[in-house]
Amino acid sequence: MSTLAIVISLFLLMFLAYRGISVLLLAPLMASLAVLLSGEAAFLLPIYTDTFMKALGNYVIQFFPLFLLGALFGQLMADSGAAQAIAQGIVKRLGTRHVVLTVVIACAVLTYGGVSLFVVAFAIYPISRELFQQAEVPKRLIPAAIALGAFTFTMTALPGTPSIQNAIPIPFFETNSFAAPGLGLIAGVIMLTLGILYLQSRVATARARGEGYGEHTEREGEGEESAAQASMPLALALIPLVMVIGLNALFTYGIFPSIELDYISERFENVSPSGQSGLWAILIALLSACAWLIVTRWHRWRDLKGTVNKGCFGSLLPIFNTASEVGYGAVIASLAGFAIIRDAVLNVSDNPLISEAVAMSVLSGITGSSSGGLSIALQTLGSEYLAMAQAAGISPELMHRVATLASGGMDTLPHSGAVITLLTICGLTHRQSYGNLAMVTIVLPLSALVTVITLGTLFGSF
């Protein structure tokens, strides 16, 4: 009965989230429903206060700085004009003949440099709209092009990417954001190359049919969030992105390994420098890039306080959405029926990489969130996977990369908040655009994941 209760609550969570109800409310309600249906009503209140809220709070404590600085950096990039300058610079160099590639590369550069994928969507959509109109390419392909550049290889595959998905496994496996760089690059090339080829084939088919851009009435203010407050030379606009990646690598491979950090553990018994330094490196890089943008554009800001406040406030909903899902996962993991589900997932294969990939994919698909599914899976099964990997002689770096890649496959099912937001920004519906979007964000990432698992099994981490 407990297992059935979990399945019912998961289904309702997915269905109601698809209907637009906030996960902030759904997560505790569906967790409570699972408890009630499991016959543990007498423990409902202590489970809520001691299990749900404790897990939510611990997640916020661990990852809030990353959400905060990531959102702030993205807003500074948008309002300083840097994001717009980079997008326009890429357009000038690639032109309108390769509109899909132009949009994908623009999104990829910004997200790999640390700009939030939602900020990127707002910034790139107006440019995409103009390019697709000029080239007479169907507007319905814009969401897929943006998603390929922002939701796939720069989020989960490329080594050093400052995305939250790449940071979540760090404390569980004591790795860093550059884990398994060779395999990550291979996965990234697969997603980018196949994604471009697929979308170009869709463009060719549409042109053969004489489809054109299509008849669309743009809503008032659509894409206005991308309006930059001041222009910026391309070279200057690229500096903060280079800082994020460069400083992250410098602290990860240079500064922290050269410093004796044992004194930290002597004072803070629960802090493992080897498990936290990867996260610290990302935070330092983002903070430095934010400071650079503020100081170098000091006399050009129209409303710096407004930009900073908007960026900071913009971090709250994403982190509490994800933290609520983590709290839900903690409650589910405490129920008797979860043991059956856990054993099924752990025993799906003798290969820990396959078992881990299945767990991350399923939970990301259920929650409609890569970070949410990844967090729930690692909070509940992270120690088991680490032990399985050590027993099988599999490096934690490989486990990190597979976990991150797996979280970015099924996370864009129709109820995904990121998908709904992107389609809303573009003024399109699931019926118009979801098929192509699903191909580049689900099918191709899963293909890359299978390739990485195969190579990792045969040759180990590299």
Side-chain angles (χ1 to χ4, degrees):
M1 185 61 189
S2 181
T3 303
L4 180 60
I6 292 173
V7 172
I8 292 173
S9 72
L10 286 173
F11 173 79
L12 288 175
L13 176 66
M14 183 168 59
F15 174 76
L16 295 174
Y18 175 77
R19 304 292 294 180
I21 299 177
S22 172
V23 73
L24 291 175
L25 179 62
L26 281 179
L29 286 180
M30 293 303 103
S32 299
L33 177 63
V35 172
L36 293 174
L37 293 179
S38 295
E40 299 188 33
F43 302 103
L44 178 59
L45 291 178
I47 285 177
Y48 174 74
T49 55
D50 190 65
T51 304
F52 182 92
M53 289 305 300
K54 183 179 289 186
L56 183 152
N58 288 338
Y59 185 85
V60 173
I61 290 171
Q62 192 166 30
F63 293 111
F64 178 66
L66 185 57
F67 276 85
L68 176 66
L69 291 177
L72 175 59
F73 177 64
Q75 199 63 51
L76 289 169
M77 284 289 292
D79 289 355
S80 67
Q84 196 80 351
I86 291 171
Q88 291 174 346
I90 293 173
V91 168
K92 288 180 181 179
R93 284 156 180 77
L94 296 180
T96 59
R97 292 183 59 188
H98 308 285
V99 292
V100 170
L101 180 62
T102 299
V103 171
V104 172
I105 296 300
C107 292
V109 169
L110 291 172
T111 49
Y112 188 49
V115 182
S116 162
L117 59 88
F118 295 109
V119 173
V120 169
F122 277 114
I124 298 300
Y125 169 67
I127 298 172
S128 305
R129 182 178 60 200
E130 294 175 9
L131 288 174
F132 276 55
Q133 280 182 316
Q134 293 175 20
E136 296 186 347
V137 174
K139 180 184 177 181
R140 60 183 175 81
L141 295 177
I142 291 179
I146 292 176
L148 176 59
F151 292 13
T152 60
F153 59 98
T154 58
M155 185 178 79
T156 63
L158 297 189
T161 180
S163 69
I164 185 64
Q165 292 80 3
N166 196 34
I168 288 173
I170 290 174
F172 295 97
F173 297 132
E174 296 192 356
T175 50
N176 59 60
S177 60
F178 292 88
L183 290 170
L185 286 173
I186 291 173
V189 169
I190 290 173
M191 285 185 253
L192 173 60
T193 303
L194 295 183
I196 292 294
L197 291 175
Y198 172 78
L199 290 179
Q200 293 286 24
S201 72
R202 298 300 88 202
V203 171
T205 300
R207 282 177 173 162
R209 293 199 303 255
E211 182 176 344
Y213 181 75
E215 296 294 328
H216 301 277
T217 302
E218 307 295 345
R219 300 188 309 276
E220 184 178 353
E222 197 170 78
E224 64 184 3
E225 298 251 351
S226 66
Q229 296 191 20
S231 60
M232 179 185 286
L234 178 60
L236 290 180
L238 288 170
I239 289 176
L241 303 187
V242 174
M243 287 179 66
V244 171
I245 301 300
L247 288 176
N248 185 7
L250 176 63
F251 277 88
T252 297
Y253 292 112
I255 295 179
F256 283 140
S258 65
I259 299 176
E260 181 58 56
L261 298 175
D262 289 343
Y263 71 93
I264 295 177
S265 298
E266 293 175 1
R267 178 170 179 180
F268 300 94
E269 297 180 357
N270 296 323
V271 175
S272 170
S274 61
Q276 294 291 331
S277 59
L279 185 59
W280 294 341
I282 298 176
L283 295 178
I284 292 171
L286 285 172
L287 182 61
S288 300
C290 288
W292 189 92
L293 279 167
I294 291 173
V295 172
T296 58
R297 307 293 289 176
W298 187 257
H299 297 294
R300 296 179 179 269
W301 292 103
R302 293 183 183 178
D303 184 10
L304 178 58
K305 182 178 71 175
T307 293
V308 171
N309 286 344
K310 188 174 182 180
C312 292
F313 295 151
S315 69
L316 297 180
L317 184 59
I319 190 170
F320 277 100
N321 275 340
T322 305
S324 294
E325 292 169 345
V326 171
Y328 169 83
V331 172
I332 295 301
S334 71
L335 300 178
F338 182 76
I340 299 174
I341 298 174
R342 180 195 61 205
D343 292 342
V345 171
L346 290 174
N347 296 322
V348 71
S349 171
D350 292 332
N351 187 336
L353 297 174
I354 296 176
S355 176
E356 179 188 48
V358 170
M360 307 301 163
S361 298
V362 169
L363 287 170
S364 294
I366 289 170
T367 60
S369 166
S370 53
S371 58
L374 186 60
S375 298
I376 292 172
L378 289 177
Q379 290 281 356
T380 56
L381 299 171
S383 59
E384 283 89 345
Y385 282 127
L386 182 58
M388 290 170 64
Q390 292 172 339
I394 297 174
S395 73
E397 288 75 18
L398 181 53
M399 296 294 289
H400 173 132
R401 187 55 54 206
V402 168
T404 305
L405 287 169
S407 74
M410 301 296 290
D411 63 317
T412 49
L413 291 175
H415 65 288
S416 166
V419 169
I420 294 171
T421 299
L422 177 58
L423 292 177
T424 300
I425 292 171
C426 297
L428 294 164
T429 65
H430 281 76
R431 181 185 296 273
Q432 292 171 305
S433 298
Y434 183 72
N436 292 309
L437 189 151
M439 176 61 73
V440 299
T441 62
I442 297 178
V443 177
L444 300 186
L446 289 178
S447 301
L449 173 63
V450 171
T451 301
V452 167
I453 291 175
T454 303
L455 291 175
T457 300
L458 294 175
F459 305 108
S461 177
F462 60 88

